[in-house]
Amino acid sequence: MDVTSLQTSGRAGPSGGRRPAPPRSGHRGRRSPAASFGLHAALVVASLIAVFPVFWVLVTSFKPDSRAIEASPSLINESSLDNYARILAGEKGDFLAWFGNSLLIAGLTTVLAVMLAASTGYAVSRFNFPGGRGLLFFFLVVQMFPFAVLIVPLYNLLLSLGLQGSAGGLVLVYCTTAVPFCTYMLKGYFDGIPREIDEAGRMDGLSPFGVFWRLMLPLARPGLAVTGFYAFITAWGEVAFASAFLSAADQSKTLAVGLQVFVQQNRTEWGHLAAASILVAIPAAVVFYLVQRFLVSGLAAGSVKG
Amino acid sequence: MVATTTGAAAEHRRPGPRGGTERRGRVRRFLDRYWYAYALVLPVVVVVGGLVILPLAQGVFFTFTNINEGNIANPVLGREADYDVVGLANYLNVLSGDPAYGSFWGVLLRTLVWSGICVAFHYGIGLGLALLLNRPMRFRTLYRILLILPWAVPAFVSAFAWRYLFNADYGLINWLLGSVGLPTPVWLGQSPVAMVAVIIVNVWLGVPFMMVALLGGLQSIPGDLYEAAEIDGATPWQRFTQITLPGLRPVSSTVILLGVIWTFNMFPVIYLITGQNPHTRILITYAFERFFSGATRDYAIASTYGVLILSVLLVFAGVYLRALRSQEAD
Amino acid sequence: MAGVSYVKASRVYPGNPPVRAVDQLDLEVNDGEFLVLVGPSGSGKSTALRMLAGLEDVDEGAIHIGGNDVTHTPPKGRDIAMVFQSYALYPHMTVGENMGFALKLRRVPKETIKAKVAEAAKMLDLTPYLDRKPKALSGGQRQRVAMGRAIVREPAVFLMDEPLSNLDAKLRVETRANIAALQARLGTTTIYVTHDQVEAQTMGHRVAVLKDGLLQQCDTPRNLYERPANSFVAGFIGSPAMNLKTVALTSEGAVLDGLTVPLPRSVVAGHDAKTITFGVRPESLRLTGGDEVGMKLTVDLVEELGADAYVYGSVDIGGTAERFIVRTDGRTPPSIGSTVNVTLRDDNEVHLFHPESGARLETTKAPTA
Amino acid sequence: MRRDTLNTLGRTGVLGLGCVLAMTACGGSGGSDDQDGPVVFWDTSGPGESAVFRDLAEGCAASGGFEVAVEQVAFDQALNNFKNAAQGGQGPDVLRAEVAWVAQLAHNGLIQDLAGTGLDDQGDFLATPWSSTQFDGATYAVPQVTDTLALLYNRELLDEAGVEPPTSWEELLDIAPDLGGDSAFFVNNDGYYALPFIYSAGGDLLDVENQTIVVNSDEAVAGLGTARALLDEGAARTAQDPGNSYGNMKAAFASGEVAMIVDGPWAVADLLDGAAFQDPENLGVAPLPGPADGDGNGPVGGHDYVIRQGSERTDDAVSLIECMSGVEAQTTVAVELGLLPTRESVYEDPEVAEHPVVSAFSAAVERAHPRPWIAEGNELFDPLKIGYADVLAGNLSPAEAAEQVATAYQDTVVPDYTIG
């Protein structure tokens, strides 16, 4: 088994050598109206499918719980902002605390995971050190670890470290899942940055760390954006570990755990749940919007080369 | 001043025999050369290693015991551990396929089907959308944003939303199906239809990642390859199979491997949408059931499942990478 | 300003067997000198340069700059600047920032940086582009920014690694001259790596030829041309390449088809082999009338360059067809397919090498001073 | 990498990462073992009920001279959350535990034996709820509310059809056509809601005394068959997806789509939000269909208060429980929410006695079917839920399903029992 077979050769990086691939060929002439219609129709349908569940959550978020399940669905049914008001007022549990915890945890996970992954990815990309490939393979294997094996031992470990029930413990746990993928992605990205840039930096008087900090990180910004997005979304929406580790006190819950109060086998408060979901989705959407223009290029140069 | 030729250099080529005294020098040289790299990697090794290797070792140990919630040590409550080592009993029980231990083989088969179908759809739809999005047109950015959206929504929110939509009696999906005269199945009931439902949700969730990755891959295929192929008289289909697909290989091989691994261990979608439904049970959800239900949580069986999942994935990755390599060698 | 010296410097890549990319290089570069390292790809010329830059380990031997041993000094402590083949401009900085970056790192006051960058930009016609990002520049402009980045530093030594190879032919010739002129003006010691022997011959005060990690010869362009130290240098320097043939040696001299070239006694006497490597440059051959003694050359191709023409053809020597190139008057070239008679302009314009070692066998002709 | 180039390397970088690590470690401390903090009470009641419990808890704390923090925890997750937290020495001081959880938590040593706190005295607590607090001869909990299932009906719809609430399942079959066939009744496919069918047919899940699994007995199978028959005969509808079944039942009943359901007093507050019950009088409560004698047709349910093992606020927790399970508090709960008190004396309060829901349910509670208070009691429902749903979906015959449930019980829940 050899991870390196995943590593294809580096492509020209963002420094300009790369010739941007022209869009799919065959369009020197104009598309026929029928083809154009088909193209847009397909994309509109796909977009609708992609967006609709989220849209419907939005619609539901304005309905009272008792109207959320209706015999014939309607856009508006006694809709109001009450659900939001109650949630934000803390009537349904300490929503703002959950929100803050989630932001803290996802934010720290993002920063820490990206920093760790960037330094590791850079080391693996640039320094052909013994163990580097082994590390990459190890990371691939880490992706396969089912949390079921780890959750109890991790619980014990965090307990003995005094981190059980703390945001810090959860951040570390999330890093173990986020760092491997991010490292892969950033390694691919660094591979695409010509080594001459490093060398020029060192000629100009930078230490190796200076090269990393002042040249590689700025140049890898799209890659960092994508890995940051990945780490953020992963931590923001994680349920299992958060449930096991952070459910001790209402104040310490994350959104994913806290929101479960709305979803019970015997009483689902769909209206409140939907409103809370929309509130939850907003930061994720903001992060998403900030990085979306990097997503394609970042993934292209990064993870996909693996 | 004038340089001399070094024809005599050959006699210096042989590296001198290294004496024992040089060993220490070699170690130092090794460290001198690589310590920077190791310093960069160290934090990750410590964090990931500490939080993966140690727990994993403990988890593997658990599989040889009968540990559960009732007999695990509890430092806080001052309780001593009193579980016993039971050897391979857990593995034998699970691998016997006994329903009492989750009908391992049946569930494994379902897990494989689940992973295979999900990843196939992820890849197929993702590639289709990527090809569409890779054309110049109006609203391209808008489409792209909308299509990536499912990725940005936290998975548990999506799961709840879909559970709501899939409600057989009051859900929007059946209302739509019914209003155009189509059958309205019980999506999340105790039948194989539930599997279809969770696959739909998981496909919905997973397509954006594939699409974005493949779009990136498409953009890195040099355009002149298409031009060359066109001049050689290749039809659009031939260009797709002869240039696009091979050009996407590095991307595809990675995302498919990751996709299979992720889907294999995809827990929230199934668990949050259908709960403990035997028709949607895959290995990971069963491990979770054993972990979180039962009068006393059965850590031993849950861990055994975990180790088996890891083994299956390792075997898969090994075969996959080998196949990939031999294909590349051709 | 400073001189540079390589003292038995080697770079060995680990492996089985280890690869000696640069092998026991001994080379001295004078203060203010423009030295060109030339060689085919894989000859170790870039590695040698990068060793000097501090980008490659020096596994054996030492390197001195300005009399200081810098063998283990990091690049930033060597007071050198480098121009890369790909220019390696920082894509996220403007032209001005690129050029001033090194000074900024040394905490040079902002005004000073600005002044120096402006001065260098003026010298290189880059003033209008200072606020642009490298992406927005043409290849030639990028090349000049890379030069500017090196100049601003005012280093003791310039290192240039094939800085012209990404330019088109016309621009290359133009820039070649500019760099040479710039170097003359600044008087900074310059080590310049190229695989193009024309570049080497036209730019360098001295040229060092490398092959397989070994230095073959280092001398002025003229001496390299006229007295190549071995058959490799002979074949490498000069365009079109020297005609190099290993031919039978008799007491009369070297035997080529119908032509026997008399060789100095000293050479023949000191040479115990039955063959000899015989070299003659295309311009040392001439076409003659059919009645003169000469080789029968069957013309395959004629390259007409205007004033001159190169005649490519084959001569049957000992049963094998050997290719020869002859430089001749451009106005009356032979036609393709015809057979012409070829002879030496001057029996002294030949180069003789040992058929096995390739080492030069001295002819009577005195070396040029 | 070259050697000496590294002198100035980022030790800073490595240190920086270390700092971040340390920071996160210190960043959020979620523990709640602050001795001066409030007593933490985990309330698992529903959204319609929680406000009343919160007020009560805060009132009790005020009069007891301590602070209380009431945290709303999803009923589904509460047991798991509590286990997780208690295992790590964290979590609430007081938990509102479902009656079936007590034995399990006591068995795992996660809740305190109340001996010596004064809470271990039965006093005027009703025998059945009190029995749920006992495990291994010790008292681990104090009853909060008791409940059972009853038949809830839409008076208007039954009046329009000119029928009375059925007293047996056969009767329901008979009157269903008058109520529009399958809009007569809604069968929730959750396992707990299978119990009325099993009990009314004379069946049970376990015979604890004889350590026997009896869920596959003829009686239990017949009970499951009754439920299936209601659907087959078009006298009832169901929602076959387990996740939405209860919600759909409530939605259908609250909107007036179906005339009758089986549910407990806890549902009343939510149901009264529905369009059909804008007039609370319209909500009728009748005993479950089934024989009027014997062990009763509905399972005993309810909630107890427990104190976490490891709580450092035991004294205040005791006084909180004392107050919340006291006569006054129970009266308030009964009057405001219609939940059934666990103290005999509370029923004597005229306001309680006249409360329509309480009075309607109290008869049912008096003869609610006892459940075994064993550590595994709560786990009986997972297999039953799957088997019952299979019966209702027509995937399996009642006998086959019962057999599967029995096997599952023996395999994973009560391995020491024999299958009867």
Side-chain angles (χ1 to χ4, degrees), chain D residues 34-288:
Chain D
D34 181 353
Q35 273 208 263
D36 299 322
V39 174
V40 177
F41 169 45
W42 275 11
D43 182 18
T44 58
S45 64
E49 307 166 334
S50 55
V52 173
F53 286 113
R54 176 184 297 269
D55 289 346
L56 272 179
E58 280 163 3
C60 285
S63 62
F66 57 92
E67 276 182 61
V68 68
V70 181
E71 295 181 359
Q72 199 64 30
V73 181
F75 176 72
D76 290 20
Q77 269 85 41
L79 180 60
N80 268 327
N81 287 359
F82 183 82
K83 283 181 175 181
N84 288 338
Q87 178 78 12
Q90 296 162 349
D93 301 294
V94 179
L95 167 73
R96 175 192 193 252
E98 212 260 350
V99 284
W101 301 350
V102 174
Q104 188 187 138
L105 292 174
H107 175 72
N108 287 330
L110 297 176
I111 54 176
Q112 294 187 13
D113 181 346
L114 299 179
T117 60
L119 293 176
D120 57 339
D121 177 23
Q122 183 175 349
D124 70 337
F125 282 108
L126 298 168
T128 312
W130 184 257
S131 67
S132 72
T133 66
Q134 305 295 305
F135 182 78
D136 260 1
T139 302
Y140 283 91
V142 179
Q144 179 198 39
V145 294
T146 186
D147 59 46
T148 189
L149 295 173
L151 185 72
L152 308 186
Y153 62 94
N154 186 325
R155 277 185 208 282
E156 206 179 305
L157 293 179
L158 264 65
D159 287 350
E160 272 171 29
V163 296
E164 291 292 311
T167 59
S168 70
W169 297 113
E170 292 73 32
E171 217 178 303
L172 176 59
L173 279 173
D174 291 341
I175 63 172
D178 301 325
L179 289 163
D182 74 348
S183 58
F185 186 70
F186 198 111
V187 183
N188 176 13
N189 73 358
D190 184 32
Y192 192 72
Y193 292 74
L195 294 178
F197 293 106
I198 294 173
Y199 290 162
S200 65
D204 206 335
L205 304 180
L206 299 178
D207 177 350
V208 178
E209 228 165 89
N210 297 314
Q211 303 255 307
T212 311
I213 296 162
V214 296
V215 69
N216 56 341
S217 65
D218 292 344
E219 292 84 358
V221 170
L224 295 175
T226 308
R228 177 69 220 160
L230 289 178
L231 298 176
D232 287 341
E233 305 285 328
R237 65 172 71 166
T238 185
Q240 285 174 4
D241 71 73
N244 289 315
S245 190
Y246 183 83
N248 288 4
M249 172 177 84
K250 250 169 46 174
F253 185 60
S255 65
E257 276 182 71
V258 297
M260 292 177 278
I261 61 170
V262 165
D263 212 337
W266 59 82
V268 171
D270 290 345
L271 288 173
L272 294 179
D273 276 346
F277 303 108
Q278 294 306 306
D279 173 11
E281 288 290 307
N282 193 36
L283 178 64
V285 182
L288 284 171

Side-chain angles (χ1 to χ4, degrees), chain C residues 14-32:
Chain C
N16 197 19
V19 178
R20 300 186 71 89
V22 171
D23 198 356
Q24 303 271 327
L25 178 63
D26 270 315
L27 190 58
E28 294 239 1
V29 186
N30 297 326
D31 189 3

Side-chain angles (χ1 to χ4, degrees), chain B residues 222-236:
Chain B
D224 44 17
L225 284 184
Y226 288 103
E227 286 159 12
E230 228 178 322
I231 288 166
D232 286 344
T235 63

Side-chain angles (χ1 to χ4, degrees), chain A residues 218-287:
Chain A
L219 287 178
R221 231 175 309 171
L224 296 176
V226 177
T227 48
F229 174 69
Y230 173 84
F232 186 88
I233 292 292
T234 308
W236 188 251
E238 202 281 330
V239 180
F241 279 113
S243 304
F245 295 162
L246 275 194
S247 54
D250 205 40
Q251 296 283 334
S252 67
K253 284 177 188 169
T254 62
L255 287 164
V257 181
L259 254 58
Q260 290 173 3
V261 79
F262 301 123
V263 198
Q264 309 188 25
Q265 190 68 52
N266 287 348
R267 41 174 94 89
T268 300
E269 301 172 57
W270 285 116
H272 286 100
L273 175 67
S277 299
I278 293 297
L279 293 174
V280 170
I282 286 173
V286 168
V287 173

Side-chain angles (χ1 to χ4, degrees), chain D residues 39 60-61 64-66 117 119 307 313-325:
Chain D
V39 174
C60 285
F66 57 92
T117 60
L119 293 176
I307 301 177
R313 307 297 304 276
T314 305
D315 291 347
D316 291 336
V318 166
S319 74
L320 179 71
I321 292 177
E322 211 162 21
C323 170
M324 301 255 321
S325 62

Side-chain angles (χ1 to χ4, degrees), chain C residues 171 173 262 322 330 347:
Chain C
L171 200 53
V173 172
E322 296 278 359
D347 283 351

